[in-house]
Amino acid sequence: MNKLSLIVAMTCVIALCSCSARKTVLPYFADVPKDGSGVIEAGDYLSRIKPDDELLITVSALDPVATSAYSLPAFNPGANIHNGSSSTSSMMPIYVANSSVQIQTFVVNTQGDISFPVLGTIHVAGMTVEELEKLLTERISQDVEDPIVSVRIANFEVVVGGEVKQPKKIRVNRSRYSVLDALGDAGDLTEYGERSSVMLVREENGKREYHRLNLNSADLLSSPYFYLQQNDYIYVEPNAVREANSKYNQYNSFKISVISTIVSASSVVASLVIALAIK
């Protein structure tokens, strides 16, 4: 019994040392001095337009009749409408609040173009929404006095998974959206999330790239991946404690299964022995 107790005690000490060596630092930006302040440049947060993006583009002016030719027609969701050219407008509408009318969106084709009323084909891939607004305003100004152009990426969505409290797909309705915003919308990390290695998966030029983000470091604030783009995927890895608990639970389940099997087999053997003894 003494030897068994000694073995158990040594095992516990080794496990505690292992956990303490790999413990997770819970606070974000742990390397920021607590007795001072600093300034970090915000960086570029505007997303670049990509193929398959859906653009909500509205054109207005003091004379609404003058800009009507530059807008896609709104339609009633109950109507049976078919549009054969997916590069012109999307069949996935944007709903207007407190209205049964829906607004169509422009879909960027695989070549990075949209087909815009009156102006024809425009290459938009690689542009920011502000750059596209400026381009359209300049071209429409040739026929319309003081037009107001608004562009928004309607399908701006990111996905957050792994060790967060509410894994989900998030639809973003603003241009400035950071990894901290996404984690906040997902309920923040659980205590089992590895803060020092959050993975960001992003599609660039037809390739999927991954980047590691360290939430414990203030360097995150100046990272080119601090602000998210459409279709980004964030994965929070489980830390050592979660992995250890999982292994422990799996071992316990296996042990219980083995014990149950042994007990069942013993019961069968005992029943056979009793039966033979009676005979």
Side-chain angles (χ1 to χ4, degrees):
M1 181 62 70
N2 291 336
K3 289 184 177 180
L4 179 60
S5 300
L6 180 60
I7 292 173
V8 172
M10 291 178 64
T11 302
C12 291
V13 170
I14 293 172
L16 288 173
C17 291
S18 175
C19 290
S20 63
R22 300 180 59 191
K23 67 180 181 179
T24 298
V25 179
L26 293 179
Y28 293 176
F29 315 124
D31 58 353
V32 173
K34 299 184 182 300
D35 57 349
S37 60
V39 177
I40 298 177
E41 293 294 332
D44 183 14
Y45 61 86
L46 292 177
S47 297
R48 299 281 171 177
I49 298 171
K50 304 175 182 179
D52 294 328
D53 276 349
E54 296 180 33
L55 304 180
L56 177 59
I57 304 177
T58 57
V59 182
S60 60
L62 291 177
D63 182 5
V65 176
T67 60
S68 60
Y70 295 94
S71 301
L72 288 176
F75 61 93
N76 189 306
N80 182 18
I81 295 179
H82 175 73
N83 189 333
S85 176
S86 60
S87 63
T88 300
S89 63
S90 169
M91 298 306 293
M92 183 182 295
I94 300 298
Y95 289 87
V96 179
N98 302 319
S99 174
S100 60
V101 174
Q102 302 169 9
I103 299 176
Q104 298 184 72
T105 56
F106 294 87
V107 176
V108 183
N109 65 19
T110 54
Q111 286 74 42
D113 303 329
I114 60 172
S115 182
F116 199 81
V118 181
L119 303 181
T121 300
I122 303 176
H123 187 72
V124 297
M127 302 177 68
T128 66
V129 293
E130 290 185 349
E131 291 170 344
L132 181 55
E133 286 174 348
K134 181 179 179 181
L135 173 65
L136 292 176
T137 299
E138 290 175 351
R139 296 188 61 178
I140 296 174
S141 294
Q142 298 175 11
D143 296 319
V144 178
E145 183 178 358
D146 298 328
I148 299 174
V149 180
S150 173
V151 179
R152 183 166 68 85
I153 300 175
N155 64 326
F156 194 152
E157 296 179 335
V158 299
V159 177
V160 184
E163 285 294 339
V164 292
K165 295 176 183 177
Q166 300 172 19
K168 63 170 66 175
K169 177 185 287 187
I170 303 169
R171 170 157 286 192
V172 182
N173 57 8
R174 58 186 187 274
S175 298
R176 186 194 294 255
Y177 194 76
S178 72
V179 62
L180 298 181
D181 293 321
L183 294 175
D185 287 340
D188 207 355
L189 278 69
T190 69
E191 61 271 27
Y192 298 112
E194 182 53 66
R195 273 97 172 135
S196 64
S197 184
V198 174
M199 184 167 66
L200 170 65
V201 180
R202 173 173 295 173
E203 186 170 324
E204 292 279 12
N205 301 319
K207 299 180 180 179
R208 289 187 177 89
E209 304 175 354
Y210 68 89
H211 308 276
R212 299 283 181 177
L213 305 176
N214 184 0
L215 301 183
N216 295 140
S217 174
D219 291 340
L220 171 68
L221 300 175
S222 57
S223 167
Y225 306 105
F226 178 70
Y227 289 107
L228 300 182
Q229 297 182 11
Q230 59 273 38
N231 302 318
D232 278 353
Y233 176 76
I234 299 172
Y235 175 69
V236 180
E237 296 181 351
N239 58 22
V241 175
R242 171 67 84 184
E243 292 181 359
N245 287 346
S246 176
K247 291 178 181 178
Y248 176 78
N249 291 335
Q250 290 177 7
Y251 172 73
N252 271 358
S253 298
F254 174 74
K255 184 170 64 175
I256 291 173
S257 176
V258 170
I259 292 173
S260 176
T261 302
I262 293 173
V263 170
S264 299
S266 299
S267 298
V268 172
V269 172
S271 299
L272 290 173
V273 170
I274 293 172
L276 291 174
I278 293 175
K279 290 181 178 180

